[in-house]
């Protein structure tokens, strides 16, 4: 399948951005990615794609730079995946989190509206918006009750997208994505922290893995599956918002048990609790209902929980065995 479509991705150097870029290249898109000016480039997730994509310097904090990126790329589709994405850090930097995740979305929408209102826009919303959940499982109609500055900022980003859709007739969609992981997940996230820790213990590089709340339950899927849902949303006749999830919740404790068992290790000999990793306000039971996405988009996840954990443990073992200690 070939197409002459162009896409602009903010957050292209992140986990989702790298998988989305791969998907769009497979579909024949010309792919542009927004990157911030950094003293040390952070492109390891897209290193293999660099000859095939065009990177543009811009920042969600800088309106003019976004307008220039849109003018330069002239995209048919704009995927806003850039964010302050690590929930615990949002308590340390609540103002900056809001600038990126709330006002940054407004700036991106304004860039679309001012350059070409026909551009189809995707906003990365988050299950963290549900916070202290009002019902289980969570659907598109479940009220939000965010429990972190990150969650609060994402609610703003979500509703400003809805607002621009309804006020300016933009084709703007939000994907309410539940936790999605992969071997490209940042090392600070609990799934990757566990799989990297298991690999290090297996290879004798360390002996302990310290975690916070192991009773927290999350709906974990594979990032490579979830970016397909993003693309499908922008192929619809009309814009709408969708929950993207597996519909199954697993605790951090289950994650630990599956990961250690896959490496042939006894988790009880290696796992401890560190109060520093406990959140000020915990989100206890996130589980999404993807019925609407399955029905309207024809989307179904292809990787289950065990398959995901095994994939990540295997990738971390291979990385460390090759001598690459930095994740």
């Amino acid at each position: 399948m070939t197409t002459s479509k162009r896409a602009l991705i903010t957050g292209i150097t992140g986990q989702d951005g790298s998988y989305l870029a791969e998907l769009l290249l497979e579909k024949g898109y010309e792919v542009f990615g927004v990157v911030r000016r950094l003293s040390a480039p952070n492109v390891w997730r897209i290193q293999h794609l660099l000859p095939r994509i065009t990177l543009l310097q811009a920042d969600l904090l800088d309106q003019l730079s976004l307008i220039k990126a849109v003018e330069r790329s002239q995209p048919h589709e704009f995927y806003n995946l850039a964010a302050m994405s690590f929930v615990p850090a949002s308590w340390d930097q609540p103002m900056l989190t809001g600038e990126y995740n709330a006002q940054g979305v407004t700036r991106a929408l304004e860039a679309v509206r001012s350059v070409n209102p026909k551009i189809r826009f995707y906003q990365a919303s988050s299950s963290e918006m549900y916070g202290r959940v009002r019902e289980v499982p969570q659907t598109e109609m479940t009220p939000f009750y965010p429990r972190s500055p990150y969650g609060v900022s994402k609610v703003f980003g979500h509703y400003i997208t809805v607002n621009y859709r309804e006020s300016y007739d933009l084709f703007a969609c939000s994907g309410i994505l539940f936790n999605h992981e992969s071997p490209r997940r940042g090392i600070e996230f609990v799934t990757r922290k566990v799989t990297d820790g298991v690999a290090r213990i297996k290879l004798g590089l360390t002996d302990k893995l310290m975690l916070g709340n192991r009773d927290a339950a999350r709906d974990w899927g594979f990032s490579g599956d979830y970016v397909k849902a993003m693309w499908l949303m922008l192929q619809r006749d009309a814009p709408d918002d969708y929950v993207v999830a597996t519909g199954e919740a697993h605790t951090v404790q289950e994650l630990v048990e599956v990961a250690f068992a896959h490496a042939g290790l006894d988790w009880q000999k290696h796992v401890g609790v560190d109060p520093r990793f406990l959140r000020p306000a915990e989100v206890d039971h996130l589980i999404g209902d993807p019925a609407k996405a399955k029905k309207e988009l024809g989307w179904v996840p292809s990787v289950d929980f065990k398959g995901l954990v095994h994939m990540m443990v295997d990738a971390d073992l291979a990385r460390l065995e090759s001598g690459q200690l930095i994740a």
Side-chain angles (χ1 to χ4, degrees):
M1 172 184 171
T2 57
T3 174
S4 57
K5 278 190 175 179
R6 292 179 301 280
L8 179 64
I9 305 170
T10 69
I12 195 168
T13 59
Q15 170 187 252
D16 293 0
S18 66
Y19 282 110
L20 178 62
E22 286 175 348
L23 176 71
L24 295 177
L25 287 169
E26 279 170 26
K27 294 184 178 297
Y29 279 65
E30 187 176 356
V31 175
F32 295 82
V34 166
V35 291
R36 284 187 298 145
R37 173 76 181 86
L38 298 171
S39 55
N42 176 32
V43 294
W44 64 271
R45 294 182 182 91
I46 56 168
Q47 193 75 46
H48 61 299
L49 302 176
L50 290 178
R52 303 168 61 200
I53 62 179
T54 303
L55 297 182
L56 306 173
Q57 283 193 5
D59 196 307
L60 287 182
L61 303 186
D62 182 349
Q63 180 75 59
L64 185 58
S65 70
L66 288 174
I67 290 172
K68 286 180 177 176
V70 175
E71 287 175 341
R72 167 93 190 277
S73 56
Q74 291 293 315
H76 299 89
E77 298 168 4
F78 184 136
Y79 295 86
N80 185 39
L81 309 187
M84 291 276 284
S85 62
F86 186 48
V87 178
S90 72
W91 275 283
D92 296 328
Q93 296 182 295
M95 298 292 288
L96 189 61
T97 299
E99 280 294 331
Y100 273 112
N101 298 359
Q103 298 301 354
V105 184
T106 314
R107 293 184 191 104
L109 286 161
E110 271 297 310
V112 166
R113 189 170 79 89
S114 61
V115 177
N116 179 5
K118 299 253 183 295
I119 295 168
R120 297 191 166 201
F121 183 85
Y122 172 84
Q123 166 59 15
S125 287
S126 167
S127 59
E128 289 282 335
M129 300 188 304
Y130 295 117
R132 182 183 283 174
V133 298
R134 307 327 249 169
E135 62 182 357
V136 179
Q138 292 90 53
T139 72
E140 293 79 5
M141 302 307 292
T142 303
F144 299 136
Y145 193 147
R147 299 272 280 164
S148 66
Y150 172 85
V152 172
S153 68
K154 280 292 188 177
V155 170
F156 183 103
H158 179 84
Y159 276 127
I160 200 69
T161 303
V162 172
N163 195 262
Y164 269 64
R165 176 169 75 218
E166 296 176 352
S167 301
Y168 301 118
D169 199 28
L170 294 186
F171 193 109
C173 301
S174 282
I176 306 173
L177 270 57
F178 280 66
N179 292 62
H180 45 291
E181 318 297 317
S182 76
R184 299 178 192 171
R185 191 55 143 154
I187 201 76
E188 69 273 21
F189 291 87
V190 70
T191 46
R192 187 72 196 291
K193 184 177 178 181
V194 168
T195 61
D196 176 72
V198 164
R200 287 174 187 272
I201 291 167
K202 180 70 175 178
L203 298 175
L205 298 171
T206 187
D207 192 47
K208 278 287 177 200
L209 175 63
M210 305 304 288
L211 298 170
N213 179 15
R214 298 207 301 272
D215 295 326
R218 294 289 184 274
D219 185 329
W220 278 302
F222 172 51
S223 173
D225 287 336
Y226 284 37
V227 299
K228 290 175 189 164
M230 299 175 187
W231 177 78
L232 287 166
M233 287 178 214
L234 296 196
Q235 312 315 308
R236 299 278 296 165
D237 291 335
D240 206 348
D241 305 322
Y242 296 87
V243 164
V244 182
T246 68
E248 291 180 15
H250 299 273
T251 63
V252 174
Q253 179 61 36
E254 288 177 78
L255 166 68
V256 165
E257 290 172 10
V258 171
F260 275 86
H262 185 59
L265 297 168
D266 179 356
W267 69 269
Q268 290 174 302
K269 293 179 179 174
H270 303 284
V271 177
V273 174
D274 188 332
R276 289 179 304 162
F277 301 133
L278 298 172
R279 293 187 184 184
E282 183 55 85
V283 173
D284 293 314
H285 197 66
L286 291 175
I287 174 170
D289 180 357
K292 181 178 172 184
K294 288 181 176 180
K295 182 183 174 192
E296 296 188 11
L297 304 178
W299 177 83
V300 285
S302 67
V303 179
D304 65 9
F305 176 69
K306 270 193 173 172
L308 174 65
V309 178
H310 291 176
M311 175 203 303
M312 292 175 68
V313 170
D314 290 342
D316 276 322
L317 278 167
R319 174 179 60 84
L320 291 165
E321 283 171 340
S322 72
Q324 186 187 338
L325 297 181
I326 305 297

